[in-house]
Amino acid sequence: MVDPVLTVARLGVVLARNGERHRVLDEISFAVAPGEILAVVGESGAGKSTLGAAIQGLLPNDGSAPEVSGSIRLAGLEIVGSPPQLLRSARRSLVRAVPQDPMGALNPTMTIRRQLHESADGDEALILDSLRRAGLSDERRIARAHPHRLSGGERQRVLIAMAMMARPKLLIADEPTTALDVTTQAQLLQIVRDLAREEQTAIIYITHDLNVAAAVADRVMVLFGGRMAEIGTLRQVARSPQHPYSASLFAARYDLNTDRSRPLPTQRAAFRHGETSDRGCGYVLHCQIARTDCSSIRPRERRARAHSGLVACHRSDEMPLPTLPVAASREAWTGEEVTDGPVALQLMDVHKHFPANRQRVWESPRLIPALRGVNLSISLGQSVAVVGESGSGKSTLLKIAAGLIAADSGRVSCLDPRPQVIFQDPVSALTPWLSIGDQIGERMRPRVTSAAERRRRVGEALQHAGLDPSLMHALPSELSVGQCQRAIVARAVVVPPKLLLCDEPISAMDVPLAAATLNLLNDLRRRLGLAMLFVTHDLAAARIVADRIVVLNKGAVVEEFEADMLQSPFRGAVTRALIEACPSLDAMLAR
Amino acid sequence: MALYLAKRACGLAIVLMVMSFIVFLLQSVIPSDPARAMAGPYAPSSTIETVREEFGLNDPIAVQYGHFLVRVSAGDLGKSVRTRQPVGDDLLRYLPATLELILVSTILAMGLAFSLILLLLSGARSQVLRHVFIALGSTPIILLAVLLAYVFWFSLAWLPGSGRLQFRDFVGTTGFYVIDGLLAGRPNVSVDALAHLTLPAMALALPFAVAVVRSLAGSLHDVMRQPYIRTARGNGLSEAAIVLRHGIRNAASAPLAMTGLQIRLLFGNLLVVETVFGWPGLGLYMTQSFATADLPAILGVSMVFGTIYILVSIAVEIAQSLADPRIEL
Amino acid sequence: MIRGMNGQTNSPARLYEGLRLIGWSGSVGIVGVLLITIVAMLATRLTPHDPYARIAEAYLPPSETHWFGTDEVGRDLFARVLVGVQSTWLASLSVIIFSLVLGSLIGLISGATGGKVDFLVQRIVDLFLVLPSTMIALAAVAVLGPGLLNSIIALAIFWWPWYARVSRDEIRRLYARPHVEAARAAGVPGPRLMLRYLLPGAVPSLIIAATLDVSNMIMALSVMSFLGLGQPAPSAELGAMTARSLDSLTVFWWIPMLPAVALFFLCFFSNLAGDGLRSVLKGT
């Protein structure tokens, strides 16, 4: 075997946040070989990004210096404890990173050419060549431009070109495609794979999406709470996960072939109250098979029984679990599909334009079309998903249906009461200074005047959404992301609307949370007989949550079909491109 | 660019009109009688009546304003009540002194700002430095001017602190004595003029430089947390290169905007400084006009300062668009 | 059923966190501002001497009976500085509070209404902001006749537009945030949306802006007073006291200097307080 590019041994990181010290990484050990792609998966807060920062020697230093223990050896160079000068030269020549958010990661006051030139020594030809290899065909325009002239996808390609130009030994990609749509994502994943194969670059690919991991990675490392749960080749770990947490992660995934007649399997509800201690296993409170010794003795990494990797669990011999308790509740959805109910939302020939920046005062503003004659109708009890790339006009469509913006022309009709919206980012969709109960109660204000009655119904709504009613007194900052999403659902259904509008509600969530949210929405809309409009760029989610799928492209509806007919051979080019762009773990396993 | 300049030229005209109109309007609501003020307290009523006729004070305010606009566009700003001279002549006489002071203090402010930035970047005791900056920013111009005068003029006697020159007989051609001295082949005049300029220019420059540098420090602090700074660090650039090439330029917008705001406050400072240091410029001329409610003079100086203000804000906006390509003129 | 997991953000912890963020200098500033306000309220009651009466020889140096000595007429300088602090501080606060309230409300309505109303209001604000306001205020007071009230009115007229701009920009920024969209989708009526969902979000920025602006106002008022546009002769205003005793700077330097030093402390403490508040409210 070739010498690994990167060897991490017993890496521990303690960071100070708001004056408190947190152990973010705890005894992590792994190695990456040249040309190998290692996916690092885990939920938000598992320490994935900190791992990347530690390898670059760029841990945040807010007030007090981070404590780092253990060793990171990068191409023979020890990173931990190295002087800044040495770290800087390591970053210049050995390790590069592609960040999560391409929008802010380029200097707005410098042209792309100058930023590339500064990032790695190279002449004009190399700059243009790198841009072309990153999939930018009009590389001369891009090189001349300032970042604000480029789209998100273009900026992410520029950042990849920037990293490639330096010909690093190791590339750290921290969720580089989360902010992009599926088509762009598929192209970028291809570029990353080529980079590993052609340049023998070792790549650490950080992601929360197992399907994405499957599309690029050779091996996978599962992190939970700053500790390594399991590491092994992706194929083996996916087939037979040896840690209960990995098992739940892999069980909760869904793709274009998932059974959509019943709830998605998820284990995130199995949370018990109790204390975790550094001495025990970090997963003990979520674990189905934990015993008393799990909370007192920390499991060490050992050879996994069912694959060639490592696992840190006392009870991994009992894996796979014979029957997951959650599976018992996975009965098929009940209730007939409604197709001929009263129409809850009707859009007829809707047009919408947005003004572009004016060049001259006396010119009338140039208009950019967002929607071009869209027709759509949703009956009560029916669920319709609108899918499309970014810029296809799907968010505009939702805002028009919600009455948040007005259409330029065409007819929009809704049943009363007004439709409710579930937003993309649950945390920012709650007002930070008002309690959860206040915000949910707001919807009953004109009708229900008694405060006690309002409180009672808020409590009911919270219970519907799977939250403890006592949370009505909490502020949003005291809730987790998942709880915020449930609170928003509670607000939407406290006075059951006829129409529920969902604006990419799961695009920023990790898999178990996304699965739980899809289940909740599916359950509520059936239970309350709502019509639902679900806007997403994720065909797999669309297929699970919707009866009918509408494909939007450049502001116009290009195709409309039953969700079960998604994979039919008669689909049009736009839909097929979307389907092909969908990464799938199962497809990988089947190959 | 041409369009932008045309737009701003219109803006200048509108601002000057609004300014003069406000002053005119105020004049009409006050009970005091400008005719009496012009004629003097002991003048007989017939004289007052003559003055009233002569200055058109019997006409309605709109007509007066119309006359005023016609006169001003012909270059006639009226007669000062105090000096009994045409205001236009007075302005021309005092303008060079003020312009010389403003120019020298601008140069001084740039130098000060630059050295303060270097001090900041050297990272010397940042907490102490921060509070020194707050203290400097809290120093009222009155205290600063009086302190400078007392310490460097009275106590140490290092620098002169009153007037523009010690040579009473010197008459310049341009009115900028530093240049005039050189033109007349008397370098000692230039040196003396510079010495006289130092204290008032310092009093004007220091608050300005401190305000700009404080705002730059604040905005640099925010900029250094931006993701693109992280990208630059990830690319292995040195910290100095990151601050100079990525930090300063992105941080420049806020202090430039700050400059625009500060200029407005600086006119007050100019008046105080010219009064304390007996600087015979427009500021002192205006302060003396306040005492006699000399409306034509006040209006005239306001117009000049208004024009300077607009020209400076145009320069600031152009600088902003040069610093940040996202800002279009 | 899922319960809240991080319930430790209770109020004592928040208070502690707030104090930590203010830091010692911010705390000094806030205590200083409170003390100045108390002094300004009590003013002449803090000293036995009449600030307007000749009670001793002129130009007495500081002593136990006359802490700051006596001025060029023989009045107690300490008593006069106290009165000066009172008028300057209260006048500055009232202009700032007036501008803050008026500007915030106009900005709130303009930002939340949007469309033509917003456009019109913002053009008016633009016009105010492009004017050399100090200049016009000076000219206006000179024409209207000197006096504290005229100075206050003239400054207030030109001070609120800046708050209207800050408030409006902040409201527009909030308005585009998902939580306000959610509230609108939930059918919250206009006035309630403004007061409960928009205004509280803009308050921190406005408070910071106002606190840091107090010293600008103090400086503007003192400049007016220095230039003879404040109250006429016997009154005690900090700027005018320095201006009138400027001739005695060579010998009795403390007479013009002490009122100016008092001005410095008013500005310094309000700036320290503003700086501390910014650290807390912006969390930096």
Side-chain angles (χ1 to χ4, degrees):
Chain A
M1 177 160 169
V2 253
D3 282 342
V5 173
L6 173 78
T7 314
V8 175
R10 300 173 66 86
L11 175 67
V13 174
V14 178
L15 292 181
R17 277 185 206 138
N18 304 326
E20 278 178 66
R21 305 191 71 75
H22 295 271
R23 180 161 285 277
V24 184
L25 288 177
D26 196 0
E27 308 242 320
I28 305 276
S29 304
F30 65 94
V32 192
E36 182 187 40
I37 304 181
L38 172 73
V40 177
V41 300
E43 55 191 20
S44 28
K48 307 189 295 276
S49 296
T50 307
L51 179 64
I55 295 170
Q56 283 183 282
L58 276 181
L59 288 169
N61 186 2
D62 285 342
S64 61
E67 284 171 31
V68 187
S69 58
S71 139
I72 302 171
R73 286 196 81 77
L74 178 61
L77 182 80
E78 177 58 55
I79 298 289
V80 177
S82 274
Q85 196 61 46
L86 204 63
L87 287 178
R88 199 146 60 222
S89 74
R91 286 199 292 271
R92 191 141 187 89
S93 55
L94 295 178
V95 53
R96 286 293 171 111
V98 181
Q100 175 166 10
D101 173 22
M103 298 317 268
L106 288 166
N107 183 345
T109 60
M110 245 191 221
T111 60
I112 299 299
R113 174 184 287 115
R114 279 195 56 203
Q115 298 191 47
L116 288 176
H117 188 72
E118 187 191 63
S119 129
D121 309 311
D123 54 6
E124 180 75 11
L126 179 65
I127 289 176
L128 293 180
D129 183 54
S130 307
L131 287 172
R132 204 166 33 240
R133 285 206 302 156
L136 292 161
S137 48
D138 49 351
E139 66 273 4
R140 283 173 198 284
R141 174 184 72 88
I142 303 276
R144 264 199 316 274
H146 281 97
H148 68 283
R149 297 270 179 221
L150 307 182
S151 71
E154 284 172 333
R155 289 187 215 191
Q156 196 59 288
R157 287 167 202 261
V158 167
L159 284 158
I160 289 179
M162 191 183 264
M164 286 194 324
M165 259 181 75
R167 303 177 69 96
K169 296 263 186 285
L170 174 70
L171 181 75
I172 298 166
D174 187 354
E175 310 234 13
T177 61
T178 310
L180 309 173
D181 62 42
V182 272
T183 343
T184 317
Q185 167 173 290
Q187 292 158 355
L188 286 179
L189 293 179
Q190 182 63 44
I191 291 169
V192 168
R193 275 198 303 265
D194 290 349
L195 183 63
R197 201 175 55 237
E198 289 163 16
E199 307 273 336
Q200 286 297 298
T201 311
I203 295 175
I204 293 182
Y205 196 100
I206 296 169
T207 180
H208 64 252
D209 187 337
L210 290 170
N211 290 320
V212 167
V216 288
D218 308 307
R219 286 198 303 149
V220 64
M221 176 163 79
V222 182
L223 290 186
F224 184 85
R227 293 179 183 174
M228 197 184 88
E230 188 166 6
I231 186 170
T233 64
L234 191 89
R235 203 172 277 268
Q236 289 174 339
V237 175
R239 285 234 173 87
S240 46
Q242 295 291 288
H243 192 284
Y245 174 63
S246 338
S248 82
L249 265 186
F250 282 96
R253 73 182 189 275
Y254 52 88
D255 59 21
L256 292 178
N257 300 307
T258 307
D259 180 6
R260 55 180 294 272
S261 64
R262 59 189 73 239
L264 296 167
T266 159
Q267 299 184 318
R268 301 298 293 138
F271 178 78
R272 290 190 301 277
H273 282 275
E275 296 272 311
T276 43
S277 78
D278 277 353
R279 289 182 301 128
C281 174
Y283 190 63
V284 65
L285 294 179
H286 304 267
C287 190
Q288 311 277 338
I289 51 174
R291 285 200 193 139
T292 45
D293 59 336
C294 285
S295 52
S296 55
I297 303 169
R298 177 167 171 187
R300 293 288 152 194
E301 286 148 26
R302 53 190 172 126
R303 291 236 152 270
R305 192 170 49 84
H307 60 72
S308 57
L310 301 172
V311 65
C313 178
H314 294 308
R315 319 271 327 274
S316 62
D317 289 347
E318 290 173 30
M319 300 294 290
L321 302 172
T323 48
L324 285 173
V326 169
S329 69
R330 289 188 59 213
E331 287 157 12
W333 299 116
T334 50
E336 286 298 297
E337 202 170 291
V338 192
T339 45
D340 51 353
V343 176
L345 171 73
Q346 178 124 40
L347 303 181
M348 280 166 77
D349 196 27
V350 168
H351 287 263
K352 178 73 191 175
H353 295 79
F354 289 111
N357 280 339
R358 281 190 288 182
Q359 300 295 312
R360 304 254 184 287
V361 198
W362 53 83
E363 275 178 6
S364 58
R366 205 156 48 87
L367 293 175
I368 295 173
L371 291 179
R372 301 185 296 186
V374 169
N375 294 303
L376 181 71
S377 113
I378 306 176
S379 314
L380 216 53
Q382 207 181 28
S383 168
V384 173
V386 174
V387 296
E389 298 177 15
S390 51
S392 61
K394 53 190 196 300
S395 291
T396 309
L397 178 76
L398 181 128
K399 284 189 178 166
I400 287 176
L404 290 172
I405 53 178
D408 292 344
S409 66
R411 250 190 54 216
V412 180
S413 54
C414 277
L415 287 178
D416 279 339
R418 59 185 296 168
Q420 286 304 301
V421 187
I422 312 276
F423 287 92
Q424 179 167 15
D425 176 6
V427 179
S428 65
L430 288 169
T431 307
W433 52 85
L434 295 176
S435 77
I436 299 294
D438 271 0
Q439 299 188 53
I440 297 174
E442 199 68 81
R443 289 208 47 231
M444 296 180 288
R445 215 151 244 292
R447 278 152 307 219
V448 185
T449 45
S450 129
E453 169 67 7
R454 271 209 302 272
R455 253 200 310 283
R456 191 185 64 73
R457 288 182 54 181
V458 167
E460 264 178 31
L462 283 170
Q463 251 164 342
H464 264 307
L467 284 175
D468 191 310
S470 68
L471 282 180
M472 75 170 75
H473 305 293
L475 288 175
S477 59
E478 295 165 38
L479 269 57
S480 68
V481 180
Q483 287 174 323
C484 283
Q485 188 62 284
R486 286 170 190 272
I488 285 165
V489 172
R491 170 168 63 189
V493 300
V494 62
V495 177
K498 294 286 184 287
L499 175 64
L500 193 61
L501 305 165
C502 306
D503 186 7
E504 307 230 21
I506 55 163
S507 67
M509 294 180 175
D510 57 20
V511 183
L513 188 55
T517 305
L518 290 179
N519 283 347
L520 178 66
L521 290 173
N522 247 334
D523 173 46
L524 276 177
R525 70 134 175 134
R526 280 165 217 266
R527 202 134 46 99
L528 302 173
L530 311 178
M532 185 156 90
L533 177 68
F534 191 94
V535 166
T536 181
H537 65 251
D538 180 355
L539 265 181
R543 188 182 148 273
I544 283 159
V545 92
D547 308 320
R548 196 147 51 88
I549 296 177
V550 173
V551 179
L552 216 57
N553 189 34
K554 297 193 175 113
V557 175
V558 291
E559 208 168 352
E560 186 168 354
F561 46 84
E562 295 299 308
D564 286 322
M565 302 303 287
L566 174 63
Q567 310 254 39
S568 127
F570 306 112
R571 292 284 79 88
V574 178
T575 315
R576 272 212 309 278
L578 284 173
I579 293 174
E580 274 157 26
C582 252
S584 162
L585 179 63
D586 287 318
M588 189 277 282
L589 290 177
R591 270 202 303 275
Chain B
M1 190 65 190
L3 174 73
Y4 167 77
L5 286 179
K7 240 161 59 180
R8 295 314 306 254
C10 292
L12 173 63
I14 292 174
V15 165
L16 292 181
M17 279 185 50
V18 169
M19 271 176 60
S20 57
F21 188 69
I22 290 174
V23 177
F24 244 86
L25 210 66
L26 288 172
Q27 183 203 13
S28 73
V29 298
I30 49 170
S32 82
D33 186 348
R36 174 161 285 283
M38 282 183 227
Y42 306 110
S45 55
S46 60
T47 318
I48 295 176
E49 204 46 49
T50 325
V51 169
R52 199 164 277 162
E53 275 309 312
E54 187 188 332
F55 285 87
L57 294 171
N58 284 333
D59 299 333
I61 191 77
V63 175
Q64 283 189 43
Y65 185 62
H67 284 314
F68 168 81
L69 283 183
V70 171
R71 275 195 296 120
V72 168
S73 43
D76 178 11
L77 288 163
K79 231 175 176 180
S80 159
V81 176
R82 188 171 57 90
T83 64
R84 312 259 159 199
Q85 301 286 322
V87 171
D89 295 358
D90 278 349
L91 292 182
L92 281 181
R93 182 157 53 245
Y94 294 117
L95 183 62
T98 294
L99 277 187
E100 192 178 35
L101 180 58
I102 291 178
L103 285 178
V104 171
S105 68
T106 310
I107 296 168
L108 200 59
M110 284 178 180
L112 273 174
F114 190 70
S115 22
L116 289 176
I117 289 170
L118 285 185
L119 190 66
L120 261 180
L121 293 185
S122 72
R125 299 304 304 275
S126 59
Q127 277 306 305
V128 176
L129 212 57
R130 185 171 148 217
H131 292 119
V132 170
F133 272 95
I134 294 180
L136 283 177
S138 309
T139 310
I141 186 66
I142 301 173
L143 178 64
L144 183 63
V146 170
L147 259 180
L148 285 175
Y150 182 75
V151 174
F152 293 101
W153 181 27
F154 296 148
S155 286
L156 301 171
W158 286 358
L159 290 163
S162 179
R164 298 181 69 188
L165 274 185
Q166 63 180 13
F167 308 99
R168 307 237 168 249
D169 58 324
F170 185 78
V171 181
T173 41
T174 62
F176 295 86
Y177 285 174
V178 180
I179 297 170
D180 282 341
L182 292 174
L183 287 179
R186 290 171 65 181
N188 60 329
V189 169
S190 297
V191 171
D192 187 50
L194 273 180
H196 277 84
L197 271 166
T198 310
L199 286 182
M202 192 68 175
L204 282 179
L206 191 64
F208 182 56
V210 167
V212 170
V213 171
R214 271 181 80 189
S215 124
L216 179 69
S219 110
L220 192 61
H221 180 82
D222 293 342
V223 163
M224 291 308 280
R225 293 157 169 236
Q226 294 297 312
Y228 52 82
I229 295 296
R230 199 186 152 81
T231 308
R233 289 215 174 97
N235 289 346
L237 297 185
S238 72
E239 208 57 20
I242 290 172
V243 171
L244 291 178
R245 271 183 274 168
H246 296 265
I248 296 278
R249 189 165 171 193
N250 281 294
S253 191
L256 280 173
M258 184 75 190
T259 311
L261 277 177
Q262 275 291 313
I263 300 285
R264 286 146 21 110
L265 302 173
L266 282 185
F267 289 118
N269 290 8
L270 184 70
L271 266 57
V272 170
V273 166
E274 289 197 0
T275 308
V276 170
F277 293 99
W279 190 262
L282 284 181
L284 191 61
Y285 177 70
M286 191 173 191
T287 311
Q288 286 164 349
S289 307
F290 287 157
T292 45
D294 188 349
L295 187 72
I298 293 173
L299 206 53
V301 182
S302 306
M303 298 294 214
V304 175
F305 283 156
T307 311
I308 295 177
Y309 172 66
I310 300 286
L311 292 180
V312 172
S313 10
I314 293 175
V316 165
E317 277 184 37
I318 292 175
Q320 272 181 316
S321 81
L322 289 180
D324 189 340
R326 286 169 297 181
I327 298 175
E328 283 173 23
L329 290 177
Chain C
M1 202 84 30
I2 305 167
R3 276 196 63 88
M5 280 181 288
N6 37 354
Q8 69 267 45
T9 44
N10 49 5
S11 46
R14 267 189 215 153
L15 189 68
Y16 170 76
E17 180 66 13
L19 283 177
R20 196 183 65 79
L21 280 171
I22 292 180
W24 63 267
S25 64
S27 316
V28 167
I30 287 168
V31 170
V33 163
L34 291 178
L35 276 181
I36 291 170
T37 312
I38 293 170
V39 167
M41 296 285 194
L42 298 175
T44 49
R45 266 170 273 174
L46 291 174
T47 163
H49 304 297
D50 182 345
Y52 302 108
R54 289 180 66 157
I55 45 157
E57 277 176 65
Y59 303 120
L60 281 181
S63 66
E64 265 179 44
T65 40
H66 303 290
W67 290 357
F68 286 4
T70 57
D71 69 358
E72 68 275 10
V73 189
R75 294 168 296 201
D76 182 70
L77 194 58
F78 183 66
R80 290 180 64 76
V81 166
L82 283 183
V83 175
V85 166
Q86 177 179 43
S87 71
T88 306
W89 185 250
L90 298 183
S92 306
L93 285 191
S94 43
V95 180
I96 293 292
I97 290 171
F98 167 81
S99 310
L100 177 65
V101 172
L102 183 68
S104 307
L105 285 180
I106 289 177
L108 175 65
I109 291 167
S110 166
T113 315
K116 291 209 173 74
V117 175
D118 187 38
F119 183 82
L120 196 70
V121 173
Q122 289 316 305
R123 291 300 78 76
I124 294 172
V125 169
D126 273 344
L127 183 64
F128 270 102
L129 288 179
V130 83
L131 289 174
S133 46
T134 329
M135 202 72 248
I136 302 183
L138 284 171
V141 177
V143 174
L144 283 174
L148 185 60
L149 189 64
N150 282 348
S151 307
I152 291 179
I153 293 173
L155 284 172
I157 289 174
F158 290 101
W159 224 260
W160 66 265
W162 185 62
Y163 289 91
R165 173 54 50 84
V166 172
S167 153
R168 184 261 179 188
D169 288 353
E170 200 71 5
I171 295 291
R172 286 313 294 175
R173 194 181 58 76
L174 280 170
Y175 201 78
R177 303 249 315 146
H179 70 82
V180 174
E181 284 199 334
R184 285 167 61 210
V188 179
R192 196 175 161 80
L193 187 79
M194 287 190 205
L195 293 179
R196 265 170 82 88
Y197 289 82
L198 290 170
L199 191 56
V203 160
S205 296
L206 286 166
I207 294 282
I208 293 167
T211 326
L212 290 171
D213 204 25
V214 170
S215 75
N216 286 336
M217 179 47 68
I218 291 172
M219 291 188 193
L221 271 172
S222 66
V223 163
M224 285 203 158
S225 154
F226 183 89
L227 296 174
L229 297 176
Q231 295 292 78
S235 73
E237 274 182 13
L238 296 176
M241 283 160 73
T242 302
R244 284 177 205 140
S245 58
L246 213 49
D247 298 336
S248 45
L249 184 64
T250 37
V251 194
F252 311 106
W253 54 267
W254 62 87
I255 300 181
M257 208 77 93
L258 282 174
V261 171
L263 277 176
F264 166 76
F265 278 107
L266 297 188
C267 296
F268 186 54
F269 283 126
S270 55
N271 275 338
L272 278 186
D275 209 57
L277 277 183
R278 179 166 55 191
S279 309
V280 185
L281 297 176
K282 294 274 179 207
T284 52

